[in-house]
Amino acid sequence: MTVTAEGELPREPYDVAVVGAGVVGCAIARRLARHPGLRVALVEAREDVGEGSSKANTAILHTGFDAAPGSLEARLVREGARLLAAYAAESGIPVEPVGALLVAWDEEQLAALPRLAEKAEANEYRASRIIGPDELYTREPHLGPGALAALHVPGESIVCPWTTTLAYATQAVRHGVDLHLNSPVTTVGRRDGLHVIGTGRGALRARLLVNAAGLHADTLDRLLGHDDFTVTPRRGQLIVFDKFARSLVGHILLPVPTALGKGVLVAPTVYGNVLLGPTAEDLDDKSATASTAEGLAALRDKGRRILPRLLDEEVTAVYAGLRAATEHDDYRIRAHPGQAYVTVGGIRSTGLTASLAIAEHVMDLLGDAGLEPGADRDLEPVRMPNLGEAFPRPYQRPELVAADPEYGRLVCHCERVSRGEIRDALAGTIPPRTPDGLRRRTRARAGRCQGFYCGAEVRALLGEAGV
């Protein structure tokens, strides 16, 4: 297994190169790893997997009830939800089936609820139902006044997006995929039947190319001579409230969706916090992940109506992510057999849910593009560290602490992260290369003090590991 972040790239050609190590790219690499005869490269511009859009989303495992019926997205989200739920159970990825409520606040939204229920039925989701204000306020007693009704979608869940991406990548690397970090793709050409992919660390060659570059998928697509879509980065700012707010909300609280997306929601997280967001701001800058005073103020205004008491709670953090929105209403996944190339573009917030199904679909398209994968095998399961608050953490397991006292020595007291967990992350198949990478693997520095107390010790532990 190989993970590289510096030095020259290998000269020997790969069978398949996957560009982009977000949740979709890692899922594709994992799927390709089932074929031991293939030589596969996973190429990532940044210094960690899941470093782009995949790390900054609303962390919802969707049912696909509100996707456009008949679309590719609808099918892949529906299939992906089933696949990811099973994979999460196998791999230890925390999932909580809290359910969702699409709340109608006015007569127009109320009139839309039957249409949303019909859309859910068309998407083969048959468990949704409209509930009146009495049941709604019984379920969510802290909801703001004036709600008229809601569509209850019991199958919607919350999930850990950080662990999901890392699990895919870990499994891929352990089964022979070469992960090349710090390798931004700058050029793509064809020579002697091979793609020649220029990066900041030199060039690598591959027979087939998969473009899973997220926000930059349109740029890479144009390097291959196509102009099928344009990615307009859509910034979503979010506010993270402290764990003391968790008792205020039991479901994912959604507005009736608009053309810009699902709108501003209030949702619990598997880490025990409460999210408010996201905004939906179409920008030109694909690196504009800063939060703004205007955006946060707008979120607070909306949150005040949805869950008034939430605004009295402490804010733990704010963050912003960029979604790969395009001018099309569906995913832009397409094979170009004459070029031995597959585009995987326009994957929006549902990409986390759909990731495993997208990988299966891309595998079929690679066959159309000339891939002969050879023998298939089952992958050895991975077991990821639990970051979920609803499940026992290492410091809560007496037998684990007795066997290894490092699991009882807390470094991050806000999030109850032990030295044993940090040690394990630093010795992992894909170790963190930054404090933020360690945070996504352990939750260290993600709590209410944001590293004020534990930051020095975390940095010291990273330094001891040579990071």
Side-chain angles (χ1 to χ4, degrees), residues 257-281:
T258 69
L260 280 178
K262 299 181 187 300
V264 172
L265 58 80
V266 173
T269 74
V270 293
Y271 318 116
N273 302 99
V274 176
L275 285 181
L276 171 62
T279 58
E281 310 157 59

Side-chain angles (χ1 to χ4, degrees), residues 150-174:
L151 182 69
H152 182 215
V153 187
E156 297 279 293
S157 302
I158 52 177
V159 64
C160 176
W162 304 335
T163 312
T164 303
T165 305
L166 183 63
Y168 295 163
T170 297
Q171 214 169 14
V173 169
R174 287 182 181 176

Side-chain angles (χ1 to χ4, degrees), residues 448-462:
R448 59 179 61 97
C449 87
Q450 290 291 287
F452 181 82
Y453 176 82
C454 66
E457 187 170 0
V458 166
R459 287 191 293 274
L461 291 170
L462 286 166

Side-chain angles (χ1 to χ4, degrees), residues 14 44 58-59 63 87 136 144 158 165 190 240 261 292 298 301 310 320 325 340 373 427 447:
Y14 289 95
E44 168 55 39
T58 50
T63 59
Y87 183 79
L136 174 57
I158 52 177
T165 305
R190 292 278 287 175
V240 184
T292 67
D301 284 344
L310 184 62

